[in-house]
Amino acid sequence: MSSAVGEDAVVAVLQGGVARTGRADTMGASVFLCLFVILLTRSSPAGCAGDGDSASHSTAGTTEKPILLNSIADAETFISGDEVVVIGFFQEPESPEASQFRLAANRIPEVPFGLSSSPAVLSHYGVAANTVTLFRRVDNDRKDLDMNSNDLDAEKITRFVQMNELRLVTEYNPVTAVGVMQSSFQLHLLLITDKMSPKHPEQMRRYRVAAELFKGKILFILVDSNLKSNERTISFFKLKKSQLPALAIFHTADEEQDVLTLDEVSVERVQDFCNRFLQRMEKKEDKPKEKALNEEL
């Protein structure tokens, strides 16, 4: 599938919303695009990326939302305070667009929302008025949503946030599949496991520790084997439920992959598995260079 299909999928999810990603989708025929289409047509999300497994959240759900950001310093402190934050940039803080933004903020208690009408803040971040921007730490990226479209409402703002809410560890579901597909990461590591297992909390703690070691290099993803919508993902990697938990790593550029079944999830095993795959990819990239050098000689 081409990158154009990915863009169509995003438009379909937003149902009229205008998302500006700031970079072209270069992933080509990624399995995640195929899986996203399957998920979108066969199921509804069991939970968004912002549940307890996906991140350590701030107290966004207990503070008044959105928080007013009156200066650049306020905005910078706010952005640095959580893995994912959202800021609404509005010239008129009581405009209809800002009202829809407030409604969306209350629908996603786990994500901090801020609002600024300061010309200095808008200029600092290079945004026009009536823009909703999601900032995320996992890849130091931002996603902009233009609120000047007449049909944008709280529901579509909510979808925009949930599908782009990638974290240190992101749970894979029909909504976050879009953000995974559109991310700049070419390496995806999947932990395929049973979230109902009593071992799951400790597994996630260790998986998050490992994710910190590869921040910016590999996107760490959690796949719940209990969800029927994830059966295709499990079978794609030729795994059976009896073989889980397992790690599956995938290189989107050429669909190179590897799988490791686990007795238990440990930081060391995850780290070793990732390092071996990275070394394998480096050797693969070096072969054309060596061949070209030999031909010159």
Side-chain angles (χ1 to χ4, degrees):
M1 297 184 186
S2 68
S3 62
V5 177
E7 291 165 2
D8 289 344
V10 174
V11 173
V13 172
L14 283 175
Q15 294 182 352
V18 181
R20 300 196 304 277
T21 63
R23 61 162 59 93
D25 178 10
T26 59
M27 289 197 296
S30 167
V31 63
F32 291 103
L33 177 54
C34 301
L35 291 174
F36 161 66
V37 174
I38 293 167
L39 283 167
L40 192 63
T41 55
R42 291 174 62 93
S43 66
S44 60
C48 297
D51 71 13
D53 292 317
S54 300
S56 57
H57 300 304
S58 71
T59 57
T62 60
T63 57
E64 185 178 348
K65 297 174 69 175
I67 296 171
L68 294 180
L69 307 171
N70 297 317
S71 67
I72 295 171
D74 287 347
E76 288 177 339
T77 301
F78 180 74
I79 292 168
S80 65
D82 210 288
E83 285 191 73
V84 176
V85 302
V86 178
I87 299 179
F89 298 97
F90 299 100
Q91 189 171 4
E92 298 293 337
E94 302 303 325
S95 66
E97 294 84 1
S99 296
Q100 291 299 312
F101 178 75
R102 287 187 174 88
L103 288 174
N106 291 322
R107 293 183 180 184
I108 317 175
E110 69 275 9
V111 178
F113 276 63
L115 187 150
S116 183
S117 57
S118 163
V121 175
L122 270 69
S123 176
H124 180 75
Y125 290 102
V127 296
N130 295 339
T131 299
V132 174
T133 300
L134 179 143
F135 297 87
R136 63 191 187 205
R137 190 182 300 167
V138 66
D139 55 358
N140 292 320
D141 199 5
R142 58 180 270 187
K143 303 292 179 181
D144 295 338
L145 181 67
D146 185 355
M147 285 290 292
N148 289 309
S149 177
N150 292 331
D151 60 350
L152 277 179
D153 57 17
E155 183 178 350
K156 289 165 188 174
I157 297 170
T158 301
R159 289 197 200 101
F160 165 77
V161 172
Q162 289 175 335
M163 78 178 189
N164 287 297
E165 191 190 348
L166 300 187
R167 297 179 176 271
L168 185 65
V169 176
T170 299
E171 181 164 357
Y172 190 72
N173 62 45
V175 179
T176 59
V178 183
V180 169
M181 179 185 68
Q182 294 288 315
S183 78
S184 60
F185 286 95
Q186 290 198 338
L187 282 171
H188 299 163
L189 179 71
L190 286 69
L191 171 61
I192 307 172
T193 188
D194 177 3
K195 280 184 65 177
M196 300 301 292
S197 167
K199 296 181 179 180
H200 180 70
E202 180 60 20
Q203 287 179 344
M204 281 301 301
R205 186 192 69 78
R206 295 172 181 173
Y207 193 53
R208 284 186 58 84
V209 171
E212 289 280 1
L213 301 175
F214 295 94
K215 188 187 296 183
K217 294 181 180 179
I218 301 174
L219 182 62
F220 276 56
I221 298 168
L222 171 68
V223 178
D224 184 5
S225 60
N226 287 313
L227 295 183
K228 188 172 181 61
S229 58
N230 286 335
E231 290 178 357
R232 296 288 186 94
T233 309
I234 297 169
S235 62
F236 175 86
F237 291 105
K238 298 180 173 59
L239 288 166
K240 298 178 181 178
K241 285 193 174 183
S242 60
Q243 296 175 290
L244 303 179
L247 295 171
I249 195 165
F250 187 85
H251 186 231
T252 61
D254 56 10
E255 299 195 3
E256 188 86 15
Q257 60 180 273
D258 198 3
V259 174
L260 176 68
T261 56
L262 301 167
D263 295 324
E264 68 173 36
V265 177
S266 70
V267 177
E268 294 74 20
R269 296 202 74 182
V270 174
Q271 185 178 9
D272 180 64
F273 181 65
C274 291
N275 283 332
R276 283 191 289 109
F277 190 82
L278 287 170
Q279 291 168 4
R280 175 172 145 190
M281 296 307 299
E282 286 175 4
K283 289 179 181 178
K284 185 176 179 180
E285 291 173 1
D286 287 341
K287 283 183 179 179
K289 297 177 184 178
E290 292 175 3
K291 183 178 179 181
L293 182 60
N294 290 333
E295 288 175 352
E296 289 178 6
L297 296 174

